[in-house]
C-alpha cells in the first residue's frame, strides 16, 4: 500500500475518508451517562426516603412525650392533676374488674368519685408536697433520700390518707361520728401496711426521678402493682359502704398499703 493510506481495524483507508464522531453521537453518549447516573442514584434516594420516614415516625412517637413534658413545664399543676385523675380512673376500673363478683356490675359513681379525688385533691397536693420536699431537702444522696421518706411517712401519708377516708366516707353519706370511727379503725393499719411497700417506691422516686416527674412515678407504681395482686378486704368492713370504701382504699390511688400517697 502507498503512503497515502492508513490501516483502520483491518482495512486500509485514505485519511480523508475516516469517519469521525458527530455531535449527535457525543450527545447520545452523554444521555447514556445521565441515564446510568440516575439509575445509580435511585437506590440512594430510596434509602434516604426510607430513613426520612423512619425518622419522622420516631419524631411522632417522641411528639407526645415532648408535648407532655412541655405541659409539665408550662402548666405543672393542671397537668399533674389531670394525670392523677386519669390514673385514678384506670386504677378504679382495674380494681373493680379484679374484685367484681360474677353477678356484680361496674359502679360508675365510684369511678367518678375516685377520678374527682385524683383531680381536685391528690394531684394538687402531690405537686405542692414534692416541690416542698425538693426545696427543703434539695440533695439526692442516700441520707437525704431517707429523710424524705421519713417525712412522707410521718407527715404527708397520714394527712392524705385521712383526707381520703374522710372525703369518700362523707360522699357516701356517713356522719361525722362514723367518719371518726373509720379513721380510728382504718388509718393506722393503712400506715402500717404502707411500710411494706412505699419506702421502696419512695426511695426510687426521690433518688432517681426528677421532681417534675415524681408524682407520675408515684401514681403509676401502685397501679402497676394492682394489676398483679388480688383483693384484700378487711373483715371489720361488713356493710356495703365499708366494702366500697375499703375497695377504693385498696386500689391504685390510695391503698391501705399506700402509706405515703406522694
Amino acid at each position: 500500500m502507498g503512503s497515502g493510506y492508513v490501516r483502520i481495524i483491518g482495512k486500509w483507508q485514505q485519511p480523508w475518508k475516516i469517519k469521525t464522531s458527530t455531535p449527535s453521537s457525543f450527545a447520545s453518549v452523554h444521555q447514556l451517562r445521565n441515564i446510568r447516573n440516575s439509575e445509580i442514584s435511585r437506590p440512594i434516594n430510596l434509602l434516604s426516603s426510607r430513613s426520612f420516614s423512619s425518622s419522622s415516625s420516631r419524631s411522632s412517637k417522641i411528639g407526645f412525650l415532648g408535648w407532655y413534658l412541655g405541659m409539665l413545664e408550662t402548666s405543672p399543676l393542671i397537668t399533674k392533676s389531670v394525670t392523677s385523675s386519669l390514673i385514678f380512673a384506670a386504677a378504679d376500673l382495674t380494681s373493680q374488674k379484679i374484685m367484681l363478683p360474677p353477678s356484680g356490675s361496674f359502679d360508675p359513681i365510684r369511678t367518678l368519685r375516685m377520678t374527682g379525688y385524683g383531680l381536685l385533691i391528690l394531684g394538687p397536693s402531690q405537686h405542692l408536697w414534692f416541690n416542698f420536699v425538693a426545696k427543703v431537702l434539695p440533695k439526692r444522696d442516700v441520707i437525704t433520700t431517707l429523710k424524705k421518706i421519713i417525712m412522707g411517712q410521718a407527715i404527708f401519708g397520714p394527712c392524705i390518707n385521712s383526707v381520703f377516708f374522710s372525703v369518700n366516707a362523707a360522699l357516701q353519706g356517713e356522719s361525722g361520728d362514723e367518719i371518726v370511727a373509720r379513721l380510728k379503725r382504718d388509718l393506722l393499719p393503712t400506715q402500717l401496711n404502707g411500710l411494706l411497700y412505699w419506702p421502696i417506691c419512695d426511695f426510687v422516686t426521690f433518688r432517681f426521678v426528677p421532681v417534675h416527674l415524681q408524682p407520675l412515678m408515684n401514681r403509676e407504681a401502685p397501679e402497676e402493682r394492682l394489676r398483679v395482686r388480688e383483693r384484700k378486704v378487711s373483715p371489720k368492713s361488713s356493710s356495703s359502704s365499708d366494702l366500697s370504701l375499703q375497695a377504693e382504699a385498696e386500689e391504685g390511688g390510695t391503698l391501705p398499703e399506700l402509706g405515703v400517697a406522694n
Side-chain angles (χ1 to χ4, degrees), residues 106-140:
F106 280 97
D107 185 359
I109 301 300
R110 172 182 145 176
T111 302
L112 182 62
R113 183 167 60 244
M114 295 299 296
T115 303
Y117 175 82
L119 178 66
L120 302 176
I121 298 178
L122 187 62
S125 63
Q126 281 188 323
H127 171 72
L128 297 175
W129 172 253
F130 278 113
N131 288 342
F132 169 75
V133 172
K135 185 177 181 181
V136 174
L137 299 171
K139 295 183 180 179
R140 287 175 175 258

Side-chain angles (χ1 to χ4, degrees), residues 88-89 91-96 99 110 114 164 219 222-223 226 229 246-258:
F88 259 70
D92 183 76
L93 292 174
T94 305
S95 177
Q96 290 196 51
M99 304 173 187
R110 172 182 145 176
M114 295 299 296
F164 172 81
R219 290 273 52 79
E223 164 66 9
L226 178 65
R229 76 181 191 90
Q246 180 70 20
E248 289 170 356
E250 289 180 353
E251 63 191 22
T254 305
L255 310 158
E257 295 84 346
L258 186 67

